[in-house]
Amino acid sequence: FITMCTRLQQSLDEIQTWNRELDARVQARTQQLSILNAVALTVNQSLELEDILNHALDEILQLTGIDVIAIFLQNPVRGQLELMAYRGLSEKAARLAYQVGMLDSSCGGVMELGKTVVVPDISSYRGRGARSLQGESIKSLIHVPLMTKGWALGSMCIGTHEVSQFSDDEQNLLNAIGNQIAI
């Protein structure tokens, strides 16, 4: 009987642990959905591109806890990325942010690859863009493509003051935000 009671208590403890883990996952997912909803509402309130981008960046910073963000859009005439909006860093650093990445190309190769590029520790980069970001205490960077209909329209560069690997969940959320902005 004592063995059965001990096993039953262990089972109850395991169930409580699973319930806490499930509750934490549900809360995290709810937070992600509320962030996406806030961004969707923001980008649907105006037809002016500058207003959309500025309000979206404000919402993203407020809801996600990231430190810096910049959005670049492809200029079809010049064929270059142009800084359209930024928060949390100087304009000079924002203009150079797209130069930091795994490839010597636009936003770390995100425009060519159409995939998210993570730079977990920019201290190993020596270019002008990396030095400018390091001067503003930015440690990690992620380049998220602004994708619509299979085309990269631009990039959202997001930075943190702490070294970060950007988990799969974080990357998925940032990709969903980027896709929402692109639409």
Side-chain angles (χ1 to χ4, degrees), residues 68-173:
V68 299
I69 187 168
I71 290 184
F72 299 88
L73 295 179
Q74 187 80 32
N75 181 321
V77 176
R78 293 186 188 157
Q80 298 176 339
L81 286 174
E82 291 185 1
L83 178 66
M84 300 300 292
Y86 62 95
R87 296 286 186 278
L89 70 168
S90 69
E91 182 177 352
K92 178 184 176 188
R95 289 194 184 284
L96 296 172
Y98 76 91
Q99 296 176 357
V100 180
M102 67 177 202
L103 301 173
D104 291 329
S105 57
S106 302
C107 287
V110 90
M111 295 299 293
E112 294 79 8
L113 299 173
K115 295 181 192 175
T116 299
V117 174
V118 177
V119 183
D121 185 1
I122 65 169
S123 66
S124 60
Y125 290 82
R126 300 288 176 235
R128 221 173 79 187
R131 285 193 311 271
S132 179
L133 292 175
Q134 291 164 0
E136 299 204 20
S137 301
I138 297 167
K139 306 279 190 231
S140 295
L141 198 64
I142 182 170
H143 300 285
V144 177
L146 302 178
M147 300 290 293
T148 186
K149 298 181 182 179
W151 294 96
L153 303 175
S155 175
M156 183 170 61
C157 297
I158 296 160
T160 60
H161 292 300
E162 301 296 324
V163 174
S164 174
Q165 297 293 325
F166 295 99
S167 71
D168 289 342
D169 283 344
E170 290 170 320
Q171 289 183 43
N172 289 337
L173 175 61

Side-chain angles (χ1 to χ4, degrees), residues 5-23 25:
C5 286
T6 303
R7 287 183 185 159
L8 180 60
Q9 185 60 47
Q10 288 173 342
S11 294
L12 288 173
D13 291 343
E14 285 180 18
I15 290 171
Q16 287 176 346
T17 300
W18 291 337
N19 281 339
R20 283 192 294 274
E21 289 174 8
L22 181 60
D23 186 48
R25 288 174 39 197

